[in-house]
Amino acid sequence: QQQEHTQHLQYSPSRGETTYINASTVAISTSGTPTIVGLGKIEPSAAANNANNNNYSNNKPKRKVIFVPTYSCNGGLDTKFNPHPRYARPSSLHNLLTPEDYEVAIQTLNDKIKRSRAKKLDYVLLGTGPLLVPLALWGARHGRQVKQRRKLIEEGVWEFNERMQMEGKNVKMEWNRSKYTGGAESYLTIEEAEGEQSGKKVD
């Protein structure tokens, strides 16, 4: 046989069979030509790997997040952040802040953005109804107020995060802006900080 240099040869005269044995193959031949059976290395399936990864992700502790609700004000032209802890999600605040600290933080932010809200002139312009010129003026003013509000919120978020860092608290505020116009509304959260906070002051 040509394969004797790599395989152990055993012959059984009583059965007339030749058995070829090595570390990975076993073949039994009752004819003159042996049949080699390969036992390939067993690899874990992709599904098993994915299941292990999913189990790891599920076991990883989730970051604690408080969602700050809003409500309408000024006849629906503006919104405010609700400072009352019982309306936060969750109302337990994940013990990241005390109810008093939460209320102070949100009320401070509301006071900061107050100057970006609609004024009496905006109601007058909006009340003109079908008149196109006053309505266009209101639209321009409203656009500037929206931009000012966003800037003031970002400044307030930065100031809160700076204060938390100075006090050594592992808490940060995040203003989660809508990724595109007409998409889901922007929203405010207070979260458990992971490592160094990355908030930037808005000029």
Side-chain angles (χ1 to χ4, degrees):
Q1 299 293 331
Q2 296 180 354
Q3 297 181 347
E4 288 181 357
H5 65 285
T6 58
Q7 297 173 329
H8 301 286
L9 178 63
Q10 293 182 355
Y11 178 73
S12 175
S14 62
R15 299 177 60 183
E17 296 178 350
T18 303
T19 303
Y20 297 85
I21 302 175
N22 62 18
S24 62
T25 63
V26 176
I28 298 176
S29 174
T30 56
S31 62
T33 304
T35 301
I36 300 175
V37 181
L39 302 178
K41 183 180 179 182
I42 300 176
E43 297 284 351
S45 65
N49 287 334
N50 291 337
N52 291 334
N53 292 335
N54 290 337
N55 289 335
Y56 173 78
S57 299
N58 292 335
N59 293 331
K60 184 179 180 180
K62 294 183 179 180
R63 189 174 75 256
K64 297 176 181 178
V65 179
I66 305 168
F67 293 90
V68 182
T70 60
Y71 63 93
S72 298
C73 62
N74 288 350
L77 293 181
D78 295 300
T79 58
K80 293 178 67 174
F81 297 107
N82 196 319
H84 302 293
R86 65 179 179 273
Y87 294 115
R89 292 182 295 164
S91 59
S92 66
L93 307 179
H94 288 303
N95 296 320
L96 294 177
L97 294 172
T98 65
E100 293 77 13
D101 288 343
Y102 175 88
E103 187 169 351
V104 169
I106 302 305
Q107 190 57 53
T108 299
L109 185 59
N110 279 333
D111 292 341
K112 186 175 185 67
I113 65 177
K114 186 176 182 179
R115 64 177 183 266
S116 68
R117 295 179 191 151
K119 310 297 189 296
K120 291 182 179 180
L121 179 58
D122 295 290
Y123 293 102
V124 173
L125 293 174
L126 190 60
T128 56
L131 301 179
L132 297 180
V133 174
L135 197 59
L137 291 175
W138 173 85
R141 285 175 57 87
H142 181 68
R144 289 194 296 269
Q145 289 163 353
V146 169
K147 291 181 180 179
Q148 184 185 29
R149 180 177 185 271
R150 182 173 64 239
K151 180 180 178 180
L152 292 172
I153 290 175
E154 291 173 347
E155 287 180 357
V157 167
W158 182 86
E159 291 168 357
F160 175 87
N161 291 340
E162 282 292 294
R163 188 165 63 253
M164 292 297 102
Q165 280 189 328
M166 292 179 63
E167 295 177 3
K169 295 182 179 179
N170 194 36
V171 179
K172 67 176 181 177
M173 185 180 286
E174 287 281 349
W175 176 236
N176 303 273
R177 291 178 54 183
S178 175
K179 296 185 181 300
Y180 56 92
T181 303
E185 293 184 359
S186 303
Y187 59 95
L188 184 72
T189 58
I190 297 176
E191 308 177 3
E192 182 179 24
E194 294 183 350
E196 184 178 356
Q197 296 179 11
S198 59
K200 296 182 181 180
K201 186 174 182 180
V202 179
D203 295 329

